[in-house]
Amino acid sequence: MARGKFITFEGIDGAGKTTHLNWFRERLEAQVEPAGHRVVMTREPGGTPLGETLRGILLNQPMDLETEALLMFAARREHLAQVIEPALSRGDWVLSDRFTDATFAYQGGGRGLPRDKLEALERWVQGGFQPDLTVLFDVPTGTASERRSAARAPDKFESESEAFFERTRSEYLRRAEESPQRFFIVDSTRSIDEIRKKLEEVVASI
């Protein structure tokens, strides 16, 4: 069985990625299951029992910025070891709601943790491992803020200022510019139908 592929969905809170995640999984299953591949859907922080425990802490408890980044990568190491790497070795495809780009965007861009510290953690935890494809849902921060205000009670990240999300968005776009072969950017101001037409093209190209 050929090694599977790893696809991630990224974007600031309110960008709309969650709206399309299950739909994309269904389209991906229809594409790859006839070839004998299974699709494993997961998320970060989370994806394992330990990761889900850390998720509750990370999204709701105040803490030092470096502690926050270290816990994000601790959850990621467990996620890689227990879920992502075994699935890919089995030939499964993995679809994750966020991965390391989110840490660079939120803890780096948003919170201002120096990039060299994140890069050191990235090398330690992942080596050279990166997603095969990252779908980045991009939207102006004002639009994202309106969407968040209409959603559930916010966690500590969703409660951040528009300036925080401007910095977070900028770091996402910097990462995409740095690795254009990996990123597919979706204009998330478009209608759901228009976005899904674009995502259909992504699935067909895999």
Side-chain angles (χ1 to χ4, degrees), residues 94-109:
V94 179
L95 175 60
S96 183
D97 184 353
R98 300 196 188 283
F99 192 60
T100 308
D101 296 303
T103 307
F104 276 82
Y106 279 78
Q107 281 70 50

Side-chain angles (χ1 to χ4, degrees), residues 153-165:
D155 60 39
K156 75 176 187 184
F157 293 102
E158 293 166 335
S159 300
E160 286 284 354
S161 68
E162 191 160 331
F164 170 90
F165 283 108

Side-chain angles (χ1 to χ4, degrees), residues 41-187:
M41 194 159 77
T42 188
R43 68 177 181 175
E44 287 207 352
T48 66
L50 175 60
E52 291 296 328
T53 298
L54 291 174
R55 180 186 179 88
I57 295 169
L58 283 160
L59 297 189
N60 297 290
Q61 297 296 321
M63 64 187 70
D64 179 79
L65 170 56
E66 292 188 350
T67 302
E68 187 176 277
L70 287 164
L71 287 178
M72 287 288 186
F73 274 102
R76 182 163 300 127
R77 181 60 247 166
E78 188 75 0
H79 196 199
L80 282 162
Q82 300 298 327
V83 176
I84 297 171
E85 291 171 345
L88 296 176
S89 294
R90 290 193 305 267
D92 293 342
W93 289 47
V94 179
L95 175 60
S96 183
D97 184 353
R98 300 196 188 283
F99 192 60
T100 308
D101 296 303
T103 307
F104 276 82
Y106 279 78
Q107 281 70 50
R111 297 223 192 281
L113 187 67
R115 194 181 303 159
D116 61 340
K117 293 187 176 183
L118 293 172
E119 289 170 345
L121 288 169
E122 183 181 36
R123 286 192 300 272
W124 180 31
V125 168
Q126 298 167 223
F129 179 81
Q130 292 290 347
D132 295 285
L133 170 68
T134 296
V135 181
L136 174 60
F137 290 78
D138 182 50
V139 68
T141 54
T143 303
S145 177
E146 292 172 5
R147 293 175 179 176
R148 289 195 304 274
S149 66
R152 65 188 183 282
D155 60 39
K156 75 176 187 184
F157 293 102
E158 293 166 335
S159 300
E160 286 284 354
S161 68
E162 191 160 331
F164 170 90
F165 283 108
E166 285 284 2
R167 296 190 299 272
T168 302
R169 181 192 183 198
S170 292
E171 178 61 12
Y172 265 131
L173 293 172
R174 186 198 69 80
R175 293 276 286 181
E177 184 176 4
E178 188 177 68
S179 303
Q181 74 287 349
R182 175 165 67 86
F183 278 83
F184 181 88
I185 300 178
V186 173
D187 178 357

Side-chain angles (χ1 to χ4, degrees), residues 3-9 23-25 27-33 35 37 39 93-95 132-135 182 184 198-206:
R3 184 174 176 83
K5 292 188 182 294
F6 182 35
I7 301 171
T8 57
F9 269 32
W23 178 91
F24 188 87
R25 174 183 56 81
R27 294 301 187 276
L28 190 60
E29 286 173 342
Q31 180 84 0
V32 305
E33 285 186 347
H37 301 283
V39 176
W93 289 47
V94 179
L95 175 60
D132 295 285
L133 170 68
T134 296
V135 181
R182 175 165 67 86
F184 181 88
K198 287 291 184 184
L199 293 177
E200 287 277 15
E201 295 174 8
V202 173
V203 173
S205 70
I206 293 172

